[in-house]
Amino acid sequence: MIDSLIYYFNSLSVFGKVAIVLNISLFVLAGYLFSKIVPSDSEALNTKRARNLRLMNVLLWSIYLFDWLWNYIIYDHGHSEFFKRVSQTGLVFLLGYLFTQFSHTWTIRKYGKVRTVEGKETRSRTYQSEMGYIIILLITIAVSLLLLINIWQVTSWLQATGVIGGVLVILFGTKEAWAHDAVAGLIMLHQGEIGPGVVCRIEQLGVFGVVRRMSLTETTFHDVIQKHNIIVANSKLRAVPVEILNKVDSPHWNDYVEFNIGYDTASEQVENYIQAVWAKACELEKHLDPEKTPRLVLVNPGDHAILWRMNYRVESVYRIKQARYAINRAAFDLQTEHGLSLATPITHQSVG
């Protein structure tokens, strides 16, 4: 059998030999290719790309294996013209896939923007990089289509009602699945307000997280509280109000907590209490800077208590909730020590 395989390989044309060697090389180097040479901003995406490439390699190998079994082992007829066209078609798809992946990485490196996400620098997509990728993708599809027409010698398909018309019909028929999201993605990339590293709160979608990744069709958020990823279609993201809680590449964010404290507590006592709460909260949460003292504001003198607001700064936008939890815990623990209560008192006063 080994002799038969060697004979089969030697009987192949130069194109066939190059295709087999290229497939073996790409199969072996797929992981390194997408993790080191043309990496994306996601390890999961790198793994998916390498898996897709290896799957295409296996399919091409299967074509040659079938040709070997059918034409040399079973019928001994030699290579068929049909097999040659099938193998060339597979190689066109393989090279087209590689070219689009390489070009996408190139456009991001050329036109993308460097941002810091969770302390790690990453180059994110921009309007210019995605438009460049779309142009390259359309050119690749057109060239691949022309190559396939020449391989299968079906030049009549180029007529008005042929392949091009069919492709346009398919694109028009599926526009609801991709067009709205793609247009919304381009608009958001062009505006530049939302990008990797930006903390967003979207009440209608129940999202409070950091933007991890943006593509033409969807945006991935990393939930600040539960640490899981949330994927939202770009068309839905454009249809709801989005609160942007920090500037792009800004390392900190301003937040506040409010306390109801009774009228029998003097302002100076409240100020001392807040300073003590801040000192203890800084011990509980490392992303609160003890040098950045909070600001105390009397917000509302209510019927039963005074509403005090403690404004403070969080040094990392990814620890917003954790910082608030630390302050609430410190406030609860220190209330008795400072002779006050956070429970809203029930007060009654006779009038007249």
Side-chain angles (χ1 to χ4, degrees):
M1 182 174 290
I2 295 178
D3 293 337
S4 177
L5 285 172
I6 295 174
Y7 175 76
Y8 171 74
F9 181 79
N10 291 330
S11 66
L12 290 172
S13 63
V14 175
F15 170 84
K17 293 176 181 177
V18 171
I20 290 180
V21 173
L22 180 65
N23 266 282
I24 294 174
S25 302
L26 291 175
F27 186 88
V28 174
L29 299 174
Y32 178 80
L33 191 67
F34 289 113
S35 62
K36 302 297 182 182
I37 299 179
V38 286
S40 69
D41 55 353
S42 169
E43 290 296 330
L45 184 58
N46 292 334
T47 302
K48 181 180 178 180
R49 287 176 171 177
R51 185 170 59 247
N52 290 339
L53 178 58
R54 286 179 171 140
L55 178 60
M56 297 179 72
N57 294 145
V58 171
L59 291 175
L60 281 175
W61 284 343
S62 301
I63 295 172
Y64 283 96
L65 180 62
F66 179 79
D67 178 64
W68 169 65
L69 290 173
W70 185 262
N71 295 317
Y72 280 80
I73 301 300
I74 300 176
Y75 287 101
D76 194 20
H77 285 164
H79 302 295
S80 66
E81 184 66 24
F82 176 78
F83 158 76
K84 181 180 178 180
R85 291 177 178 177
V86 171
S87 61
Q88 290 175 345
T89 300
L91 192 61
V92 167
F93 282 118
L94 176 63
L95 295 178
Y97 175 77
L98 281 176
F99 183 73
T100 54
Q101 298 303 318
F102 274 69
S103 61
H104 198 194
T105 301
W106 177 81
T107 55
I108 293 175
R109 288 179 178 176
K110 180 73 174 178
Y111 302 106
K113 184 176 181 180
V114 178
R115 292 187 172 117
T116 302
V117 181
E118 295 185 345
K120 181 181 178 182
E121 284 193 353
T122 180
R123 191 172 290 274
S124 62
R125 295 168 172 82
T126 61
Y127 176 78
Q128 290 80 4
S129 69
E130 293 306 288
M131 284 301 297
Y133 172 64
I134 289 175
I135 293 172
I136 293 174
L137 182 62
L138 292 175
I139 293 174
T140 303
I141 293 174
V143 172
S144 300
L145 188 61
L146 291 174
L147 288 174
L148 292 176
I149 289 172
N150 283 300
I151 288 171
W152 291 96
Q153 297 180 0
V154 284
T155 54
S156 59
W157 289 10
L158 287 174
Q159 296 176 359
T161 57
V163 170
I164 296 179
V167 170
L168 293 176
V169 169
I170 292 173
L171 292 176
F172 182 79
T174 59
K175 69 181 189 302
E176 295 296 329
W178 58 270
H180 293 169
D181 291 330
V183 171
L186 287 173
I187 291 173
M188 288 190 295
L189 287 170
H190 179 69
Q191 292 173 340
E193 293 290 336
I194 300 177
V198 174
V199 181
C200 298
R201 179 165 51 208
I202 311 171
E203 295 288 350
Q204 293 187 20
L205 300 179
V207 174
F208 181 36
V210 184
V211 178
R212 272 285 181 85
R213 179 173 175 267
M214 283 190 69
S215 67
L216 280 177
T217 56
E218 62 190 22
T219 300
T220 302
F221 295 89
H222 186 66
D223 191 90
V224 171
I225 308 302
Q226 297 178 324
K227 306 301 182 184
H228 61 269
N229 288 337
I230 303 171
I231 300 174
V232 180
N234 287 335
S235 58
K236 290 186 177 181
L237 201 58
R238 285 270 302 163
V240 296
V242 178
E243 296 180 65
I244 300 176
L245 303 182
N246 70 313
K247 296 180 180 179
V248 176
D249 299 330
S250 175
H252 58 80
W253 183 65
N254 297 319
D255 197 8
Y256 66 87
V257 293
E258 295 179 335
F259 303 109
N260 286 312
I261 299 177
Y263 277 89
D264 57 342
T265 305
S267 297
E268 183 178 355
Q269 185 180 355
V270 176
E271 290 177 356
N272 293 334
Y273 168 68
I274 292 300
Q275 294 300 325
V277 168
W278 179 251
K280 184 168 184 178
C282 290
E283 296 176 1
L284 298 174
E285 174 54 54
K286 64 180 181 179
H287 287 92
L288 293 175
D289 186 357
E291 300 297 326
K292 306 293 183 181
T293 56
R295 187 165 59 94
L296 185 64
V297 179
L298 194 158
V299 178
N300 180 33
D303 292 335
H304 301 285
I306 294 178
L307 180 63
W308 295 91
R309 177 176 294 174
M310 173 185 174
N311 297 285
Y312 59 93
R313 173 171 147 174
V314 185
E315 295 303 311
S316 172
V317 294
Y318 307 106
R319 301 290 295 181
I320 295 172
K321 284 293 185 180
Q322 290 79 359
R324 178 173 291 189
Y325 295 155
I327 292 173
N328 287 337
R329 175 64 182 270
F332 174 78
D333 291 342
L334 295 176
Q335 58 180 334
T336 304
E337 179 181 334
H338 285 262
L340 52 82
S341 174
L342 298 180
T344 303
I346 299 177
T347 55
H348 300 278
Q349 185 176 357
S350 59
V351 178

